[in-house]
Amino acid sequence: MTLEESRNLPTAREVDVLIVGGGPAGVGAGLAAARMGADALIVEQFNCLGGVATAGGHGHISKYDEEGTGRRIVGGVADEIASRVVSGGFGVRNSHGIMFEVEGMKLLLEAMAEEAGLGLLYHTFFCDTVVDDGAAIGAVIQNKDGRQVIRARRVVDCTGDGDVAFKAGCPYEVGRPSDGRCQPVTLMFTIGGVDWPTVEKFRVDYQLKEVWERAQREGNMRPFQKTIMGWWWTPTRPDQVGVNFTHVTHIDSTKAADLTRATIEARKQAYETIEVYRKYVPGMGHCYMISTPNTVGIRESRRIMGDYVLTEDDVKGQREFSDAICYGSFFVDIHCIDGPGMDATSWRPSRGFKYQIPYRILVPRGVENLLTAGRCVSCTHLALGSIRVMVPCIAMGEAAGTASALSLRDGVAPRAVDVTALQAQLRQQGAILYEEDIVTVERNSQMAR
């Protein structure tokens, strides 16, 4: 939308930094910008911060550690969230990540926003980007008050789907190169009535493929899945388990009809899964559904092309960058695009694996005053398999929010921010950018008290 067209709509608010999307990346961006003194606002479609961690029911955040060593390679806001989960009594932490109560995470993220003076506007949908003379200057939103404009000096796209950059006309790619298809979506869910010690004793391996194959052979499970993607347990809720198991393929998360179809099918899968757990998993014989979340978990959609495109060779080769803003260390996690289980393109790293993430992948081509953060950043399909998880998304968001505030302070476009100054500010905030920043002694486990 042009500036002239936007004048036909009422202005709801004018801010320094507008963050569209309050998921992990949006939380990192909003807190960083607000703490640096910017008038920052997060616009969020759901009724909470946290995105897939909360509205998506994903009660597990990883990966904080370097592969196989336990050394913590991500700090800043991501590390602060983990510490506050424990201190707030909402979960547990080890070197890999945190397991937490979803409702507790909602509360603590809002407390962090309030402390920082970060503005929040829930129940609000993004509609369009206001662009003037090649620069993003705001967004059109829709909520109970009607259609309005929020004007902003800087905009950070944390929508996951890259909606803001897409509407601004930035180039993008989608899915695997051969056909544009994306990874499957998953509806998380939480079950109760679980005897977790018995489950752990039974669980001789992580995936339990033989169990699901047997259930399918005996006609008790449709072949939508063949491996556990996640069972998340915290002693603060000892009889409850978060489940990452449903699997719906060939979904385009930028289409409401596809999201609807995925939600309906995944909810059926969730209830079928409970019946399978009752019959085949000792310790789950009396389990029951507690909740399904507000939204399906999306692994992949648009990737907004930026000043640099992070590749799978960069990831696997542990490439270092002069404009590094954080580390990633997750394996190349590609769920099977055409069926159950993991894709053949998934890749597991060796001990000591980590790689730097450069600032340039947050800077979209062709539009000024706009940054991206989270899974919509500039990368290849396979590289996204590693950087799309929540810890690097939070860290990328923190970098985007910090860069937005610095660009306002210095009177330059985000593209022209002094990277050395950005890196110094991030390190001052506790971010880990280089080998010498890495926390070499990590407590094995922290329990909520």
Side-chain angles (χ1 to χ4, degrees):
M1 179 177 286
T2 66
L3 172 62
E4 196 61 35
E5 290 170 330
S6 73
R7 286 177 175 147
N8 296 321
L9 296 172
T11 298
R13 189 165 166 186
E14 297 183 9
V15 298
D16 293 331
V17 182
L18 174 63
I19 301 97
V20 184
V27 167
L31 289 174
R35 287 171 174 176
M36 289 187 66
D39 179 13
L41 173 68
I42 291 179
V43 170
E44 168 56 42
Q45 63 180 322
F46 296 122
N47 69 346
C48 59
L49 296 175
V52 71
T54 51
H58 195 296
H60 171 61
I61 294 179
S62 67
K63 183 175 192 291
Y64 285 83
D65 63 331
E66 179 182 67
E67 182 64 32
T69 70
R71 299 198 308 161
R72 179 164 57 80
I73 51 91
V74 177
V77 171
D79 181 55
E80 181 185 348
I81 290 170
S83 295
R84 290 180 69 146
V85 162
V86 175
S87 64
F90 297 125
V92 294
R93 178 183 190 180
N94 58 29
S95 62
H96 179 77
I98 52 176
M99 308 278 198
F100 57 88
E101 301 171 27
V102 167
E103 294 303 320
M105 178 65 80
K106 295 176 184 179
L107 184 69
L108 77 85
L109 292 179
E110 288 173 344
M112 292 173 72
E114 185 175 14
E115 292 161 11
L118 170 61
L120 305 177
L121 186 61
Y122 291 155
H123 308 289
T124 298
F125 284 88
F126 165 82
C127 300
D128 205 349
T129 309
V130 182
V131 179
D132 183 47
D133 195 24
I137 61 168
V140 179
I141 59 160
Q142 180 82 35
N143 58 25
K144 284 285 193 177
D145 301 307
R147 186 158 292 209
Q148 308 150 80
V149 173
I150 296 176
R151 306 197 183 278
R153 300 166 70 192
R154 300 290 183 268
V155 182
V156 185
D157 184 344
C158 298
T159 61
D161 293 327
D163 292 332
V164 181
F166 168 73
K167 287 289 190 177
C170 298
Y172 67 97
E173 294 180 359
V174 178
R176 62 184 173 191
S178 62
D179 58 9
R181 289 200 182 277
C182 295
Q183 292 195 54
V185 304
T186 292
L187 186 74
M188 316 296 169
F189 60 98
T190 301
I191 58 177
V194 176
D195 177 356
W196 184 247
T198 299
V199 174
E200 281 200 309
K201 185 177 180 181
F202 168 76
R203 190 182 190 181
V204 294
D205 67 80
Y206 184 86
Q207 296 181 339
L208 291 178
K209 288 180 63 174
E210 295 80 6
V211 176
W212 323 129
E213 289 171 354
R214 178 187 166 200
Q216 290 170 38
R217 284 196 310 270
E218 295 176 358
N220 291 307
M221 179 180 172
R222 289 182 294 148
F224 60 81
Q225 186 56 286
K226 62 181 181 182
T227 179
I228 295 171
M229 300 302 178
W231 275 349
W232 303 313
W233 178 85
T234 169
T236 63
R237 288 292 180 267
D239 71 329
Q240 297 182 13
V241 175
V243 180
N244 181 348
F245 194 76
T246 68
H247 210 246
V248 186
T249 59
H250 299 170
I251 296 297
D252 180 349
S253 66
T254 69
K255 298 184 183 301
D258 274 24
L259 289 173
T260 301
R261 176 167 59 88
T263 301
I264 294 169
E265 167 58 21
R267 204 178 334 262
K268 290 178 184 176
Q269 292 181 7
Y271 275 90
E272 290 174 25
T273 297
I274 288 175
E275 293 301 322
V276 171
Y277 287 179
R278 287 172 177 167
K279 185 167 185 176
Y280 292 93
V281 181
M284 290 187 172
H286 301 287
C287 72
Y288 56 88
M289 178 69 77
I290 290 180
S291 64
T292 58
N294 291 351
T295 181
V296 291
I298 308 298
R299 295 184 173 90
E300 179 176 25
S301 56
R302 300 187 192 103
R303 307 186 309 278
I304 305 302
M305 295 296 99
D307 286 351
Y308 183 80
V309 180
L310 188 76
T311 71
E312 57 270 26
D313 290 337
D314 294 332
V315 171
K316 295 177 181 179
Q318 303 182 74
R319 182 171 178 183
E320 296 182 350
F321 293 92
S322 60
D323 61 337
I325 51 170
C326 62
Y327 277 111
S329 63
F330 207 72
F331 76 102
V332 177
D333 180 12
I334 309 292
H335 294 238
C336 188
I337 292 173
D338 300 307
M342 298 301 293
D343 198 83
T345 56
S346 291
W347 175 81
R348 293 277 182 178
S350 58
R351 179 182 171 85
F353 172 71
K354 65 182 183 300
Y355 59 92
Q356 290 180 326
I357 296 175
Y359 175 64
R360 286 167 291 163
I361 71 171
L362 312 185
V363 185
R365 300 174 195 165
V367 176
E368 299 300 328
N369 293 350
L370 175 64
L371 293 172
T372 61
R375 64 175 171 81
C376 61
V377 297
S378 180
C379 62
T380 63
H381 164 70
L382 291 180
L384 181 67
S386 178
I387 68 168
R388 65 177 174 79
V389 295
M390 284 188 267
V391 169
C393 285
I394 297 169
M396 286 186 279
E398 183 172 5
T402 302
S404 295
L406 282 177
S407 74
L408 290 171
R409 184 196 71 183
D410 296 341
V412 298
R415 193 183 311 276
V417 160
D418 183 338
V419 171
T420 302
L422 170 60
Q423 292 169 325
Q425 180 64 39
L426 288 171
R427 294 178 83 190
Q428 183 178 326
Q429 293 164 192
I432 294 175
L433 276 60
Y434 309 113
E435 179 69 28
E436 58 264 35
D437 300 329
I438 292 174
V439 177
T440 57
V441 180
E442 181 73 5
R443 284 171 288 180
N444 182 53
S445 181
Q446 295 173 313
M447 293 284 291
R449 294 181 293 278

